[in-house]
Structure formats: C-alpha cells, structure tokens
Amino acid sequence: MTAPRAPFFPADRSIRADQALEIQKLGTVNYQEAWDLQAKLARQRADGEIPDQLLFLEHPDVYTAGKRTQPSDMPTNGLPTIKVDRGGRITWHGRGQLVVYPIIKLAEPVDVVDYVRRLEEGIIDALTTFGSQKVGRIAGRSGVWVPYSVSAVDKNASSRDRKIAALGIRVTRGVTMHGLSLNCNNSLEFYEHIVACGIDDADVTTLSLEHGREVTTEEMIPLLHKSLVRALAGDLAVSDHSLDSSRVGPSPQ
C-alpha cells in the first residue's frame, strides 16, 4: 500500500529531530492546566532543554473549540467551552477518553501533513492490534473512523460512519502541541449538544461500543504508545487505509 501522498523525506525516516523520548502518564488533568503544561514543555523543547515528550492523560468534561469552529457548532448544554489555538473545530474531552499530547521537535523540512498521517497510522495500528474489525481514514476528513458497513457488537452504536479518534494539532518553532483523543469507554451524551468537528452526517463511537465490553484508557496506553513511537520513527509505514463510505449509512430497522 502507498501513503496518501508522498512525504517530503523518505517514509522510513523518523519525523522526529532527535531520538530521545520521555513518556508521562498524568492521569486526569484539568484542560487549562494541561494546556499550560504543553506550552511550557513546547518552549523548553524548542530551546533544547528537554527531549521529546508523549503525554497520556484524561480530562474532566470540557468542550474545546479550535480555530475553525463555527457559531453553529457550539454546545447547547451550558458546559464550559475553551477556545484553543489548535486546528480543527469543536470537540469534547472527558473521562474514559484517552488523550495523547506529543511535544515533538519535527525534523527538517517540517511536514505537518505527514506528521498528522503518522499519528493516524499509529492509532490505526494500535486499534488493529487490539482487534478492531476495520478502521481507517475517510477522504476529506481527519481522524480515524469505523465505516457504516462494519457492525458494532453493541447494537446501541450508530449505523452510520463513526469517528473513534480525533486529531487537532499546532506546530510552533518546529515543535508540536495538542494531538489526539481516542474514545475508550466514555459517554457519548456530550457529543449530542455540539456539531462535533463540524460533521453532521456521521457519528462518534467508542471502543467499548464497538467491542461489546468495557475498554479502559489504561488498557489502550501500552498499545497506543508502542504504535505511535513506531509510526513517528518510520518503522511503521503510512499506508492507504481508505474506507468505503456512503457518508450516511442505512436507516436502522
């Protein structure tokens, strides 16, 4: 399989400028506190004071609005919304959702698209290793998806295309901030009050719904850690995991 587009440098080369990497498992952290920590670490990484970082954590319930968020996307339930400097539109974070913030110094020439594709590849590899039937990309949409043609074990899951992992990043002075979120065993109720990621013709899902059992964030950390490191290092090739999608699946019976 080939990559969605050729990267600026060989696909088997690390996209990270250096090899040293520290992992931090932070538990549940208030969003603003985590954002402030990211900014501090990113400054330190840009100045060469610390190695690359991978932060694994969860947030208390919060909406975050990226730079492309539209007024019509905003929540209707009164939950606080924080405007952030990442790309993308509005999304929700909360307990049961695994969030990963890579603070990575990118190799030159900086290739933001390739970086995003490598994050997606790491997620896809981790979920495939976990046993997910079919996950991949949908043309024109970021993140990782389950197509409507794949039935979830839990019949409460949507019959439409279902987003299981979201991405939103920022690169400053060649250092990445923000990152990805993977729905493990979180509630989906909070998504009902926003137009998540600006998409109104598809749905969201969790690993627990797709597999019919409780899948915790702790269970997914080792798999996601291993796959992300391999993808960023070029040991895991970015492949064309395009999914067949009708955008809107068949109506429930």
Side-chain angles (χ1 to χ4, degrees):
M1 288 185 164
T2 59
R5 75 140 170 83
F8 292 162
F9 48 80
D12 59 355
R13 174 182 157 190
S14 176
I15 201 168
R16 296 170 45 221
D18 300 303
Q19 294 307 306
L21 178 67
E22 292 183 353
I23 310 300
Q24 297 192 44
K25 299 179 183 179
L26 302 178
T28 301
V29 183
N30 174 274
Y31 186 86
Q32 186 64 56
E33 181 182 344
W35 189 10
D36 292 343
L37 175 62
Q38 286 188 72
K40 175 184 175 182
L41 294 174
R43 288 192 299 270
Q44 292 176 322
R45 182 66 191 92
D47 291 337
E49 298 173 0
I50 61 172
D52 288 345
Q53 307 283 312
L54 272 183
L55 313 181
F56 290 85
L57 63 150
E58 298 178 51
H59 291 303
D61 295 332
V62 65
Y63 292 115
T64 67
K67 292 184 289 186
R68 295 195 302 109
T69 299
Q70 304 298 308
S72 58
D73 299 340
M74 297 298 282
T76 59
N77 62 351
L79 193 70
T81 301
I82 298 177
K83 294 183 179 180
V84 295
D85 57 357
R86 61 165 172 77
R89 293 169 73 167
I90 196 165
T91 192
W92 167 86
H93 297 301
R95 289 179 177 85
Q97 180 193 75
L98 179 58
V99 176
V100 186
Y101 294 135
I103 311 297
I104 301 293
K105 178 73 172 178
L106 295 176
E108 296 288 347
V110 170
D111 187 343
V112 177
V113 172
D114 190 28
Y115 171 66
V116 170
R117 292 293 175 256
R118 291 192 189 211
L119 292 183
E120 291 174 344
E121 195 69 32
I123 300 167
I124 292 167
D125 182 70
L127 297 187
T128 301
T129 301
F130 180 72
S132 295
Q133 291 184 56
K134 188 174 184 180
V135 291
R137 301 179 182 90
I138 291 179
R141 294 183 166 175
S142 68
V144 176
W145 294 78
V146 181
Y148 81 94
S149 57
V150 174
S151 298
V153 173
D154 191 319
K155 298 308 178 184
N156 291 318
S158 165
S159 61
R160 304 197 298 181
D161 295 331
R162 306 182 291 279
K163 194 171 193 176
I164 198 164
L167 287 86
I169 68 165
R170 176 181 174 85
V171 179
T172 304
R173 298 174 62 194
V175 177
T176 66
M177 285 181 57
H178 302 289
L180 63 97
S181 58
L182 173 64
N183 290 341
C184 295
N185 60 348
N186 52 280
S187 168
L188 297 180
E189 187 270 335
F190 295 95
Y191 289 106
E192 297 174 5
H193 302 281
I194 58 172
V195 182
C197 304
I199 296 170
D200 59 6
D201 62 353
D203 291 306
V204 289
T205 190
T206 68
L207 281 170
S208 295
L209 278 174
E210 297 300 321
H211 288 265
R213 70 170 181 84
E214 284 294 297
V215 180
T216 67
T217 57
E218 279 295 321
E219 186 175 358
M220 294 308 299
I221 287 175
L223 287 174
L224 196 53
H225 169 206
K226 181 178 180 180
S227 294
L228 287 174
V229 169
R230 291 182 62 221
L232 293 171
D235 296 333
L236 180 63
V238 174
S239 300
D240 184 2
H241 298 283
S242 299
L243 299 172
D244 294 330
S245 169
S246 67
R247 288 288 190 255
V248 180
S251 299
Q253 299 299 314

